[in-house]
Amino acid sequence: MKLLVTGCAGFIGSNFVLQMRDTNPDVTLINVDLLTYAGNLENLKALEGDEGHVFVRADVADRAAMDAIFSEHKPDGVIHFAAESHVDRSILDASPFVHNNVMGTQVLLDLARQHGVSRYLQVSTDEVYGSLGSTGLFTESTSIAPNSPYAASKAAADMLVRAAGHTHGMDVVITRCSNNYGPLQFPEKLIPLMIANALEGKELPVYGDGMQIRDWLHVSDHNTAIWRVFEKGRAGEVYNIGGNNEWPNIDVVKLILATLGLDESLIRYVKDRPGHDRRYAIDASKIRDELGWEPARRFEEALPETIQWYRENRDWWERVRSGAYRDYYDSQYAARLSAD
Ligand code: NAD
Ligand code: DAU
């Protein structure tokens, strides 16, 4: 089968592609990414020479470019990861979030329908549910109540996916996952930012009182769940994905410092994020009971392993921080593109 994967050069998408080439080599991957600031083609370096995948640089909201990709590669399924993903950036400027997350999703839905794709999976987020108090969990029937421009753009996209299923009879599924961690995460997100800053002896900026709670899940568990839903989920359904692993931010930061053998003097409490959601926590019993998925990785061992990855791959995140990673595409593809 042929699978169109968008956002293949980002954190979760690149881990998905690498994982799939390992576990499902019979699935051919048509990988699409615009290579925004968050897209790093170096993440897929290990696949050079692997004929089970192709990479195409394109904006998912560019109808003509995407139509050409569907026509040429004729994918059987679509898994849509591509998005602007960082809440703080959406507070500074929401426009790219509307373009990439909302328009991009509608263009993909239209083309998937026109080209007879058999299943479309939307990678969504628990942030569409808003914020929890000190008790309770998000279930699939929790009301949608997004609080940040990022969350609102993801919620809008989910509604468009739902409408495509309801109105056009498309086979669509939506996954809503909690916070991911693992290798290849852009060092603007909490865990890689704190590790990189600590390794460089820089301050660790903790927003507000640091008592906001997130439910952390290793990226490989998220990707296993996505593939399970793609293969076995019921059409038209939403599946929550979570780690049952709630941590206040400040405890995550202290754990990172302790694992690195550093004291807490680098911690710096800073002004809170506007509209900061207090607590996310997922009830993942639907995917467990219906599809038999449960997380395989425990935070207590997978976080130290992740910290070790950033220690051993300092070159990777230093190139991201310096911007040098952006040269990779040009050096890899300039000659090929001019040969076209
Ligand atoms: P990321 O920012 O690391 O990667 C996003 C990728 O999408 C980048 O490679 C970027 O170049 C690409 N992209 C952006 N706009 C595009 C466009 N218009 N056309 C083509 N490519 C485009 O994000 P991530 O953390 O890997 O998140 C992937 C998906 O998972 C997103 O949809 C996000 O909402 C969702 N999600 C993320 C988390 C998390 O904790 N990171 C949790 C739940 C859901
Ligand atoms: O819940 C899923 C979501 O998780 C995804 O949909 C988003 O794409 C992803 O970015 C993530 O959103 P968060 O806002 O929860 O992640 P972030 O890593 O930005 O922040 C995690 C928590 O840490 C949050 O409470 C804000 C706090 N924080 C973050 C940064 C970057 C800090 O205290 N200091 C920081 O410097």
Side-chain angles (χ1 to χ4, degrees):
M1 96 170 265
K2 279 188 174 180
L3 188 64
L4 179 72
V5 177
T6 72
C8 65
F11 163 50
I12 305 176
S14 62
N15 276 284
F16 178 82
V17 166
L18 294 171
Q19 205 168 316
M20 282 294 287
R21 290 308 299 144
D22 215 25
T23 56
N24 295 71
D26 48 320
V27 177
T28 301
L29 302 176
I30 318 302
N31 296 324
V32 174
D33 202 295
L34 178 58
L35 302 182
T36 68
Y37 81 92
N40 183 352
L41 212 51
E42 289 182 0
N43 296 354
L44 298 181
K45 236 177 174 173
L47 297 185
E48 275 168 21
D50 175 348
E51 290 182 355
H53 87 111
V54 290
F55 171 73
V56 190
R57 185 178 193 176
D59 178 351
V60 291
D62 180 339
R63 195 173 292 271
M66 291 308 298
D67 195 17
I69 292 169
F70 276 84
S71 297
E72 180 180 351
H73 297 286
K74 302 184 176 32
D76 305 294
V78 172
I79 300 191
H80 182 33
F81 290 94
E84 286 292 324
S85 68
H86 194 42
V87 172
D88 292 319
R89 287 179 190 260
S90 79
I91 296 167
L92 294 174
D93 180 7
S95 301
F97 290 75
V98 176
H99 175 82
N100 294 337
N101 302 1
V102 184
M103 275 310 295
T105 296
Q106 187 59 49
V107 167
L108 269 185
L109 285 166
D110 291 343
L111 292 172
R113 179 162 56 92
Q114 286 157 21
H115 288 267
V117 161
S118 55
R119 170 155 277 194
Y120 174 101
L121 186 146
Q122 178 77 2
V123 180
S124 185
T125 168
D126 61 359
E127 297 201 13
V128 300
Y129 297 124
S131 184
L132 291 164
S134 54
T135 59
L137 300 171
F138 295 133
T139 72
E140 289 80 0
S141 51
T142 300
S143 307
I144 301 296
N147 289 322
S148 70
Y150 160 71
S153 71
K154 294 294 290 184
D158 283 12
M159 295 302 102
L160 294 171
V161 175
R162 176 190 149 92
H166 189 80
T167 300
H168 297 296
M170 281 181 71
D171 182 327
V172 292
V173 276
I174 297 175
T175 58
R176 294 190 181 134
C177 190
S178 60
N179 289 60
N180 284 212
Y181 67 99
L184 302 171
Q185 186 167 27
F186 199 88
E188 64 184 352
K189 306 284 168 38
L190 181 75
I191 288 182
L193 177 79
M194 296 298 164
I195 299 170
N197 277 16
L199 289 172
E200 288 189 327
K202 292 185 178 154
E203 286 182 335
L204 311 190
V206 172
Y207 298 164
D209 64 3
M211 289 307 292
Q212 304 82 7
I213 290 175
R214 297 293 183 265
D215 174 359
W216 293 98
L217 182 74
H218 193 267
V219 63
S220 62
D221 280 325
H222 185 188
N223 284 329
T224 305
I226 286 172
W227 184 240
R228 186 73 55 87
V229 172
F230 184 85
E231 281 202 300
K232 302 208 158 72
R234 285 184 291 131
E237 293 291 315
V238 174
Y239 292 90
N240 281 354
I241 304 168
N244 196 18
N245 179 44
E246 293 181 50
W247 285 77
N249 293 337
I250 187 65
D251 290 356
V252 173
V253 172
K254 287 181 176 173
L255 185 56
I256 290 170
L257 286 169
T259 308
L260 290 171
L262 297 170
D263 67 36
E264 295 174 7
S265 58
L266 287 174
I267 294 175
R268 168 96 188 269
Y269 288 93
V270 299
K271 198 161 168 275
D272 209 352
R273 173 186 278 175
H276 200 169
D277 286 339
R278 194 68 182 166
R279 175 172 167 257
Y280 303 148
I282 283 275
D283 176 346
S285 54
K286 177 173 172 180
I287 188 170
R288 182 195 64 212
D289 296 346
E290 272 190 30
L291 306 181
W293 175 88
E294 279 188 290
R297 307 302 314 274
R298 287 182 57 249
F299 197 60
E300 290 70 13
E301 58 165 45
L303 181 67
E305 182 191 290
T306 298
I307 294 170
Q308 189 56 23
W309 188 89
Y310 286 91
R311 275 180 124 152
E312 287 170 5
N313 293 276
R314 193 174 177 125
D315 187 46
W316 179 88
W317 55 262
E318 282 184 346
R319 286 173 62 73
V320 171
R321 285 191 154 179
S322 73
Y325 72 106
R326 304 201 83 162
D327 302 338
Y328 180 76
Y329 177 83
D330 294 336
S331 66
Q332 277 299 302
Y333 288 88
R336 292 178 208 194
L337 291 171
S338 59
D340 279 352

